[in-house]
Amino acid sequence: MRKLFTILVVLILYITSANAQQNLSDEDKIWKQIHHLLSDFKRPKDSLIIYSLNFTLKIEKRGNKLVASKVIANDSLAYELFPNYKKLSDIDFSSVLGTHTKSDVMIPILIYGSSPEKVKYKDEHGQPLINFNAAVNSTLALVSDKKYDNSSSSYESPGFHKTNKRSKLFRNVVIMEPYVIYIANIK
């Protein structure tokens, strides 16, 4: 009886582990497709940048696939920096969204870098210093669907100073880990 119980536990653990690895590989496949599309971007020409953008994909069922019917950026700069953004509509999210037939998938993107020669303010290690408001806005812009302007560095709270009664403070959305682009030397 004890042998049978041990074999059953090992079998259950093996099946669970194989299923978890399958889910991870599905996520990896989608991540690689997104990485392939986002790695082809136009480099900004600023001497010190910290851009926070996101694309929200409105996922709907088409045939037997879950694909984006709309790709919306929170800053118009995203459309300029990522000219292939429309190809995000070709990615099938069925493997990670399961039985959902409608969902939003948000892809946060953080781009940062500097030109060591042109940076005015540096810390004791030579790293560029940025404005606190710019850092806070960048953080908020990663996950907010509110329209955003990366050229502004003034802090605006996303929920407490609503101007539009139709905007929502809470919503259902799948948020990916941020896609980070580091530009080592901007000229």
Side-chain angles (χ1 to χ4, degrees):
M1 182 72 172
R2 192 173 190 163
K3 273 187 174 179
L4 180 62
F5 179 73
T6 305
I7 291 171
L8 188 60
V9 168
V10 169
L11 184 63
I12 289 172
L13 288 174
Y14 174 76
I15 290 171
T16 306
S17 170
N19 190 27
Q21 288 177 358
Q22 177 63 34
N23 288 342
L24 184 60
S25 70
D26 290 341
E27 285 182 9
D28 285 342
K29 287 177 191 175
I30 291 173
W31 172 250
K32 286 179 183 178
Q33 291 174 4
I34 291 170
H35 172 70
H36 179 72
L37 291 171
L38 296 181
S39 63
D40 181 24
F41 68 97
K42 293 182 181 176
R43 292 179 63 131
K45 300 217 188 281
D46 293 345
S47 62
L48 176 63
I49 59 169
I50 181 164
Y51 294 151
S52 293
L53 314 161
N54 69 56
F55 285 107
T56 301
L57 312 176
K58 302 290 185 182
I59 306 296
E60 293 182 359
K61 192 166 183 93
R62 282 200 199 138
N64 59 350
K65 292 182 176 184
L66 286 172
V67 295
S69 60
K70 268 187 184 174
V71 179
I72 304 164
N74 69 332
D75 189 337
S76 60
L77 180 64
Y79 301 123
E80 294 172 30
L81 293 177
F82 300 97
N84 295 328
Y85 75 92
K86 288 182 182 178
K87 292 183 181 177
L88 292 168
S89 299
D90 299 336
I91 298 173
D92 182 10
F93 288 89
S94 300
S95 58
V96 292
L97 294 179
T99 59
H100 296 280
T101 56
K102 270 188 165 184
S103 187
D104 287 354
V105 172
M106 184 178 285
I107 305 170
I109 303 166
L110 178 65
I111 304 171
Y112 71 100
S114 66
S115 170
E117 302 84 31
K118 295 181 181 177
V119 174
K120 276 187 185 179
Y121 304 106
K122 299 177 185 180
D123 67 9
E124 65 273 4
H125 304 291
Q127 295 296 316
L129 297 175
I130 63 166
N131 179 313
F132 271 121
N133 288 339
V136 170
N137 273 347
S138 293
T139 304
L140 291 173
L142 281 175
V143 294
S144 175
D145 63 344
K146 179 176 133 178
K147 290 295 178 197
Y148 184 74
D149 180 6
N150 274 282
S151 63
S152 171
S153 64
S154 63
Y155 172 73
E156 292 180 35
S157 175
F160 299 109
H161 304 291
K162 290 185 195 177
T163 56
N164 182 358
K165 294 193 184 237
R166 296 169 55 115
S167 67
K168 295 179 183 177
L169 199 54
F170 298 98
R171 62 195 170 115
N172 288 329
V173 65
V174 175
I175 301 177
M176 291 182 51
E177 285 187 25
Y179 185 81
V180 179
I181 300 171
Y182 171 63
I183 302 175
N185 193 2
I186 301 172
K187 296 195 179 209

